[in-house]
Amino acid sequence: MTRPTARHRDITAGCFVCHGAAAFWTSANAQALAVQHHDRTGHQTWCNIAMSVTYGSNARDDCQIDIEDAIASTRSGGRPEPVLCAADDA
């Protein structure tokens, strides 16, 4: 089974000796930079990683007015035409 999936990672890293608890590296390779800094200097470094995953995509809103509805409203003298959707039936 395939589904639309989006992943996003937020990474911050720093060196306790050089920067304290403040983030110094924030790019996609912040973790690698923290490791390299530790290897070169022996300083204690840290890295926080937050990952967000979204499955699927937004469902189509059948009540949303689109360009075709705007064009159709010009035939009615500029008045919007009524849009019926499932929520109106409840």
Short mmCIF file of all heavy atoms in Angstrom, two decimals, residues 22-70:
data_model
loop_
_atom_site.label_atom_id
_atom_site.label_comp_id
_atom_site.label_asym_id
_atom_site.label_seq_id
_atom_site.Cartn_x
_atom_site.Cartn_y
_atom_site.Cartn_z
N ALA A 22 22.86 27.12 24.57
CA ALA A 22 22.33 27.79 23.39
C ALA A 22 22.66 26.98 22.13
O ALA A 22 23.77 26.45 21.99
CB ALA A 22 22.91 29.20 23.27
N ALA A 23 21.71 26.91 21.22
CA ALA A 23 21.92 26.20 19.95
C ALA A 23 22.90 27.01 19.10
O ALA A 23 22.76 28.22 18.95
CB ALA A 23 20.61 26.00 19.22
N PHE A 24 23.89 26.33 18.53
CA PHE A 24 24.85 26.98 17.65
C PHE A 24 24.68 26.50 16.21
O PHE A 24 24.83 27.27 15.29
CB PHE A 24 26.27 26.72 18.14
CG PHE A 24 27.31 27.45 17.35
CD1 PHE A 24 27.44 28.82 17.46
CD2 PHE A 24 28.15 26.76 16.50
CE1 PHE A 24 28.39 29.50 16.73
CE2 PHE A 24 29.12 27.43 15.77
CZ PHE A 24 29.24 28.81 15.88
N TRP A 25 24.34 25.21 16.05
CA TRP A 25 24.12 24.65 14.72
C TRP A 25 22.64 24.32 14.57
O TRP A 25 22.03 23.69 15.42
CB TRP A 25 24.95 23.37 14.51
CG TRP A 25 26.43 23.61 14.66
CD1 TRP A 25 27.23 24.26 13.80
CD2 TRP A 25 27.26 23.19 15.74
NE1 TRP A 25 28.53 24.28 14.27
CE2 TRP A 25 28.56 23.62 15.46
CE3 TRP A 25 27.03 22.48 16.92
CZ2 TRP A 25 29.64 23.37 16.31
CZ3 TRP A 25 28.09 22.23 17.76
CH2 TRP A 25 29.38 22.69 17.45
N THR A 26 22.02 24.75 13.47
CA THR A 26 20.59 24.50 13.27
C THR A 26 20.29 23.98 11.88
O THR A 26 19.13 23.81 11.53
CB THR A 26 19.78 25.80 13.49
OG1 THR A 26 20.26 26.81 12.60
CG2 THR A 26 19.89 26.30 14.92
N SER A 27 21.29 23.72 11.09
CA SER A 27 21.06 23.25 9.72
C SER A 27 20.75 21.75 9.73
O SER A 27 20.78 21.10 10.77
CB SER A 27 22.27 23.54 8.84
OG SER A 27 23.39 22.84 9.35
N ALA A 28 20.48 21.21 8.55
CA ALA A 28 20.15 19.79 8.42
C ALA A 28 21.29 18.90 8.90
O ALA A 28 21.07 17.78 9.33
CB ALA A 28 19.79 19.47 6.98
N ASN A 29 22.53 19.40 8.85
CA ASN A 29 23.68 18.59 9.26
C ASN A 29 24.20 19.00 10.64
O ASN A 29 25.37 18.79 10.96
CB ASN A 29 24.78 18.64 8.21
CG ASN A 29 25.31 20.03 8.00
OD1 ASN A 29 24.69 21.00 8.41
ND2 ASN A 29 26.45 20.15 7.34
N ALA A 30 23.34 19.58 11.48
CA ALA A 30 23.74 20.03 12.81
C ALA A 30 24.30 18.89 13.65
O ALA A 30 25.28 19.06 14.39
CB ALA A 30 22.56 20.68 13.52
N GLN A 31 23.72 17.71 13.54
CA GLN A 31 24.20 16.57 14.33
C GLN A 31 25.63 16.22 13.93
O GLN A 31 26.49 15.99 14.79
CB GLN A 31 23.28 15.37 14.13
CG GLN A 31 23.65 14.18 14.99
CD GLN A 31 22.65 13.04 14.85
OE1 GLN A 31 21.75 13.09 14.02
NE2 GLN A 31 22.81 12.02 15.66
N ALA A 32 25.91 16.19 12.65
CA ALA A 32 27.25 15.86 12.17
C ALA A 32 28.26 16.92 12.63
O ALA A 32 29.39 16.59 13.01
CB ALA A 32 27.26 15.74 10.65
N LEU A 33 27.85 18.19 12.61
CA LEU A 33 28.75 19.25 13.07
C LEU A 33 29.06 19.11 14.55
O LEU A 33 30.21 19.34 14.97
CB LEU A 33 28.14 20.62 12.76
CG LEU A 33 28.01 20.96 11.28
CD1 LEU A 33 27.19 22.23 11.10
CD2 LEU A 33 29.39 21.10 10.65
N ALA A 34 28.07 18.74 15.34
CA ALA A 34 28.30 18.53 16.77
C ALA A 34 29.27 17.38 17.01
O ALA A 34 30.17 17.47 17.86
CB ALA A 34 26.98 18.29 17.50
N VAL A 35 29.12 16.31 16.27
CA VAL A 35 30.02 15.15 16.40
C VAL A 35 31.43 15.54 15.98
O VAL A 35 32.41 15.22 16.67
CB VAL A 35 29.51 13.96 15.56
CG1 VAL A 35 30.54 12.86 15.48
CG2 VAL A 35 28.21 13.43 16.15
N GLN A 36 31.56 16.23 14.85
CA GLN A 36 32.89 16.65 14.39
C GLN A 36 33.55 17.59 15.40
O GLN A 36 34.76 17.48 15.65
CB GLN A 36 32.78 17.34 13.03
CG GLN A 36 32.43 16.39 11.90
CD GLN A 36 32.20 17.13 10.59
OE1 GLN A 36 32.25 18.36 10.54
NE2 GLN A 36 31.93 16.38 9.54
N HIS A 37 32.79 18.50 15.97
CA HIS A 37 33.33 19.42 16.96
C HIS A 37 33.85 18.64 18.17
O HIS A 37 34.94 18.92 18.68
CB HIS A 37 32.28 20.45 17.37
CG HIS A 37 32.78 21.46 18.35
ND1 HIS A 37 33.63 22.49 17.99
CD2 HIS A 37 32.53 21.62 19.68
CE1 HIS A 37 33.90 23.22 19.06
NE2 HIS A 37 33.23 22.71 20.10
N HIS A 38 33.07 17.68 18.63
CA HIS A 38 33.51 16.84 19.75
C HIS A 38 34.80 16.09 19.41
O HIS A 38 35.73 16.05 20.21
CB HIS A 38 32.43 15.84 20.15
CG HIS A 38 32.95 14.78 21.06
ND1 HIS A 38 33.24 15.01 22.38
CD2 HIS A 38 33.27 13.48 20.82
CE1 HIS A 38 33.71 13.90 22.93
NE2 HIS A 38 33.73 12.96 21.99
N ASP A 39 34.84 15.49 18.22
CA ASP A 39 36.03 14.73 17.82
C ASP A 39 37.27 15.62 17.74
O ASP A 39 38.37 15.19 18.08
CB ASP A 39 35.79 14.04 16.47
CG ASP A 39 34.78 12.90 16.58
OD1 ASP A 39 34.46 12.48 17.72
OD2 ASP A 39 34.30 12.46 15.52
N ARG A 40 37.12 16.86 17.26
CA ARG A 40 38.27 17.77 17.12
C ARG A 40 38.72 18.36 18.45
O ARG A 40 39.91 18.56 18.67
CB ARG A 40 37.92 18.90 16.16
CG ARG A 40 37.95 18.51 14.70
CD ARG A 40 37.93 19.73 13.78
NE ARG A 40 36.90 20.70 14.11
CZ ARG A 40 35.66 20.70 13.60
NH1 ARG A 40 35.31 19.78 12.72
NH2 ARG A 40 34.78 21.61 13.97
N THR A 41 37.74 18.67 19.33
CA THR A 41 38.07 19.41 20.55
C THR A 41 37.97 18.59 21.82
O THR A 41 38.54 18.97 22.84
CB THR A 41 37.14 20.63 20.71
OG1 THR A 41 35.80 20.16 20.89
CG2 THR A 41 37.24 21.55 19.51
N GLY A 42 37.19 17.52 21.80
CA GLY A 42 36.94 16.74 23.01
C GLY A 42 35.85 17.35 23.88
O GLY A 42 35.55 16.84 24.96
N HIS A 43 35.24 18.46 23.43
CA HIS A 43 34.18 19.11 24.19
C HIS A 43 32.91 18.26 24.19
O HIS A 43 32.64 17.52 23.26
CB HIS A 43 33.84 20.48 23.58
CG HIS A 43 34.93 21.47 23.69
ND1 HIS A 43 34.87 22.68 23.04
CD2 HIS A 43 36.10 21.48 24.38
CE1 HIS A 43 35.95 23.38 23.31
NE2 HIS A 43 36.72 22.67 24.13
N GLN A 44 32.12 18.42 25.27
CA GLN A 44 30.83 17.75 25.33
C GLN A 44 29.84 18.54 24.48
O GLN A 44 29.63 19.73 24.70
CB GLN A 44 30.34 17.67 26.77
CG GLN A 44 29.05 16.89 26.92
CD GLN A 44 28.57 16.85 28.35
OE1 GLN A 44 28.86 17.74 29.15
NE2 GLN A 44 27.81 15.83 28.68
N THR A 45 29.25 17.88 23.49
CA THR A 45 28.28 18.52 22.61
C THR A 45 26.91 17.88 22.81
O THR A 45 26.79 16.81 23.39
CB THR A 45 28.70 18.41 21.13
OG1 THR A 45 28.83 17.04 20.79
CG2 THR A 45 30.01 19.12 20.88
N TRP A 46 25.89 18.54 22.31
CA TRP A 46 24.52 18.04 22.43
C TRP A 46 23.79 18.26 21.12
O TRP A 46 24.17 19.07 20.30
CB TRP A 46 23.78 18.72 23.59
CG TRP A 46 23.71 20.20 23.45
CD1 TRP A 46 24.60 21.13 23.92
CD2 TRP A 46 22.69 20.95 22.77
NE1 TRP A 46 24.20 22.40 23.58
CE2 TRP A 46 23.04 22.32 22.87
CE3 TRP A 46 21.54 20.61 22.09
CZ2 TRP A 46 22.25 23.33 22.32
CZ3 TRP A 46 20.77 21.61 21.54
CH2 TRP A 46 21.12 22.95 21.66
N CYS A 47 22.70 17.48 20.96
CA CYS A 47 21.89 17.57 19.75
C CYS A 47 20.45 17.21 20.09
O CYS A 47 20.19 16.18 20.72
CB CYS A 47 22.44 16.61 18.69
SG CYS A 47 21.61 16.74 17.11
N ASN A 48 19.50 18.07 19.70
CA ASN A 48 18.07 17.79 19.85
C ASN A 48 17.47 17.59 18.47
O ASN A 48 17.65 18.43 17.59
CB ASN A 48 17.36 18.94 20.55
CG ASN A 48 17.75 19.07 22.00
OD1 ASN A 48 18.09 18.09 22.65
ND2 ASN A 48 17.73 20.28 22.51
N ILE A 49 16.74 16.49 18.32
CA ILE A 49 16.13 16.18 17.04
C ILE A 49 14.63 15.96 17.26
O ILE A 49 14.23 15.15 18.08
CB ILE A 49 16.74 14.91 16.41
CG1 ILE A 49 18.25 15.08 16.23
CG2 ILE A 49 16.07 14.60 15.07
CD1 ILE A 49 18.97 13.81 15.85
N ALA A 50 13.81 16.69 16.51
CA ALA A 50 12.36 16.52 16.54
C ALA A 50 11.91 16.15 15.13
O ALA A 50 12.24 16.84 14.17
CB ALA A 50 11.66 17.78 17.00
N MET A 51 11.18 15.06 15.01
CA MET A 51 10.73 14.62 13.70
C MET A 51 9.21 14.61 13.66
O MET A 51 8.55 14.11 14.58
CB MET A 51 11.25 13.22 13.40
CG MET A 51 10.91 12.71 12.04
SD MET A 51 11.89 11.24 11.71
CE MET A 51 10.92 10.47 10.47
N SER A 52 8.66 15.20 12.60
CA SER A 52 7.21 15.22 12.40
C SER A 52 6.90 14.41 11.14
O SER A 52 7.57 14.57 10.12
CB SER A 52 6.72 16.65 12.20
OG SER A 52 7.03 17.44 13.31
N VAL A 53 5.90 13.56 11.23
CA VAL A 53 5.48 12.75 10.09
C VAL A 53 4.00 13.00 9.85
O VAL A 53 3.19 12.96 10.78
CB VAL A 53 5.72 11.25 10.33
CG1 VAL A 53 5.29 10.44 9.12
CG2 VAL A 53 7.18 10.98 10.68
N THR A 54 3.63 13.28 8.60
CA THR A 54 2.24 13.48 8.23
C THR A 54 1.87 12.42 7.20
O THR A 54 2.57 12.27 6.20
CB THR A 54 2.03 14.88 7.62
OG1 THR A 54 2.47 15.85 8.56
CG2 THR A 54 0.57 15.11 7.28
N TYR A 55 0.80 11.70 7.44
CA TYR A 55 0.31 10.68 6.51
C TYR A 55 -0.93 11.19 5.81
O TYR A 55 -1.79 11.79 6.42
CB TYR A 55 -0.03 9.38 7.25
CG TYR A 55 1.14 8.77 7.96
CD1 TYR A 55 1.26 8.86 9.34
CD2 TYR A 55 2.15 8.13 7.25
CE1 TYR A 55 2.33 8.31 10.00
CE2 TYR A 55 3.23 7.58 7.90
CZ TYR A 55 3.32 7.67 9.28
OH TYR A 55 4.40 7.13 9.92
N GLY A 56 -1.01 10.96 4.53
CA GLY A 56 -2.17 11.37 3.76
C GLY A 56 -2.09 12.82 3.36
O GLY A 56 -1.09 13.51 3.56
N SER A 57 -3.17 13.29 2.77
CA SER A 57 -3.25 14.69 2.36
C SER A 57 -4.60 15.23 2.76
O SER A 57 -5.49 14.48 3.15
CB SER A 57 -3.03 14.81 0.85
OG SER A 57 -3.99 14.04 0.15
N ASN A 58 -4.76 16.54 2.66
CA ASN A 58 -6.04 17.15 3.02
C ASN A 58 -7.15 16.63 2.11
O ASN A 58 -6.97 16.53 0.90
CB ASN A 58 -5.97 18.67 2.89
CG ASN A 58 -5.14 19.29 3.97
OD1 ASN A 58 -4.98 18.71 5.04
ND2 ASN A 58 -4.61 20.46 3.72
N ALA A 59 -8.28 16.32 2.72
CA ALA A 59 -9.43 15.89 1.94
C ALA A 59 -9.99 17.07 1.17
O ALA A 59 -9.95 18.21 1.63
CB ALA A 59 -10.50 15.31 2.86
N ARG A 60 -10.51 16.82 0.01
CA ARG A 60 -11.10 17.88 -0.81
C ARG A 60 -12.35 18.42 -0.12
O ARG A 60 -13.18 17.68 0.38
CB ARG A 60 -11.46 17.31 -2.17
CG ARG A 60 -12.03 18.36 -3.08
CD ARG A 60 -12.26 17.82 -4.47
NE ARG A 60 -12.99 18.85 -5.21
CZ ARG A 60 -13.99 18.59 -6.01
NH1 ARG A 60 -14.35 17.36 -6.24
NH2 ARG A 60 -14.59 19.56 -6.64
N ASP A 61 -12.47 19.71 -0.10
CA ASP A 61 -13.64 20.36 0.48
C ASP A 61 -14.61 20.66 -0.65
O ASP A 61 -14.39 21.57 -1.45
CB ASP A 61 -13.22 21.64 1.19
CG ASP A 61 -14.37 22.34 1.87
OD1 ASP A 61 -15.52 21.84 1.78
OD2 ASP A 61 -14.14 23.38 2.49
N ASP A 62 -15.69 19.88 -0.74
CA ASP A 62 -16.66 20.07 -1.82
C ASP A 62 -17.42 21.38 -1.69
O ASP A 62 -18.08 21.79 -2.63
CB ASP A 62 -17.64 18.89 -1.86
CG ASP A 62 -16.96 17.61 -2.29
OD1 ASP A 62 -15.98 17.69 -3.06
OD2 ASP A 62 -17.39 16.53 -1.85
N CYS A 63 -17.37 22.02 -0.54
CA CYS A 63 -18.06 23.28 -0.35
C CYS A 63 -17.20 24.47 -0.79
O CYS A 63 -17.68 25.59 -0.83
CB CYS A 63 -18.45 23.47 1.11
SG CYS A 63 -19.69 22.27 1.66
N GLN A 64 -15.95 24.24 -1.08
CA GLN A 64 -15.05 25.33 -1.44
C GLN A 64 -15.41 25.88 -2.83
O GLN A 64 -15.61 25.16 -3.78
CB GLN A 64 -13.62 24.84 -1.45
CG GLN A 64 -12.62 25.93 -1.74
CD GLN A 64 -11.19 25.41 -1.69
OE1 GLN A 64 -10.98 24.23 -1.51
NE2 GLN A 64 -10.24 26.30 -1.82
N ILE A 65 -15.48 27.20 -2.92
CA ILE A 65 -15.78 27.84 -4.19
C ILE A 65 -14.49 27.94 -4.98
O ILE A 65 -13.48 28.40 -4.48
CB ILE A 65 -16.40 29.23 -3.97
CG1 ILE A 65 -17.73 29.08 -3.24
CG2 ILE A 65 -16.57 29.97 -5.28
CD1 ILE A 65 -18.38 30.38 -2.87
N ASP A 66 -14.50 27.49 -6.21
CA ASP A 66 -13.30 27.53 -7.04
C ASP A 66 -13.51 28.43 -8.24
O ASP A 66 -14.51 29.13 -8.35
CB ASP A 66 -12.88 26.12 -7.46
CG ASP A 66 -13.95 25.42 -8.28
OD1 ASP A 66 -14.90 26.09 -8.72
OD2 ASP A 66 -13.83 24.21 -8.47
N ILE A 67 -12.57 28.43 -9.15
CA ILE A 67 -12.61 29.32 -10.30
C ILE A 67 -13.84 29.06 -11.18
O ILE A 67 -14.42 29.99 -11.73
CB ILE A 67 -11.31 29.24 -11.12
CG1 ILE A 67 -11.24 30.33 -12.18
CG2 ILE A 67 -11.14 27.87 -11.75
CD1 ILE A 67 -11.14 31.70 -11.64
N GLU A 68 -14.26 27.81 -11.29
CA GLU A 68 -15.44 27.51 -12.10
C GLU A 68 -16.69 28.14 -11.49
O GLU A 68 -17.55 28.64 -12.22
CB GLU A 68 -15.62 26.00 -12.25
CG GLU A 68 -14.52 25.36 -13.07
CD GLU A 68 -14.67 23.85 -13.14
OE1 GLU A 68 -15.72 23.33 -12.70
OE2 GLU A 68 -13.75 23.22 -13.63
N ASP A 69 -16.76 28.17 -10.15
CA ASP A 69 -17.90 28.81 -9.49
C ASP A 69 -17.86 30.32 -9.72
O ASP A 69 -18.90 30.96 -9.91
CB ASP A 69 -17.90 28.51 -7.99
CG ASP A 69 -18.16 27.04 -7.71
OD1 ASP A 69 -18.90 26.42 -8.49
OD2 ASP A 69 -17.62 26.53 -6.71
N ALA A 70 -16.67 30.89 -9.70
CA ALA A 70 -16.54 32.33 -9.94
C ALA A 70 -16.98 32.67 -11.36
O ALA A 70 -17.67 33.68 -11.58
CB ALA A 70 -15.10 32.77 -9.71
#
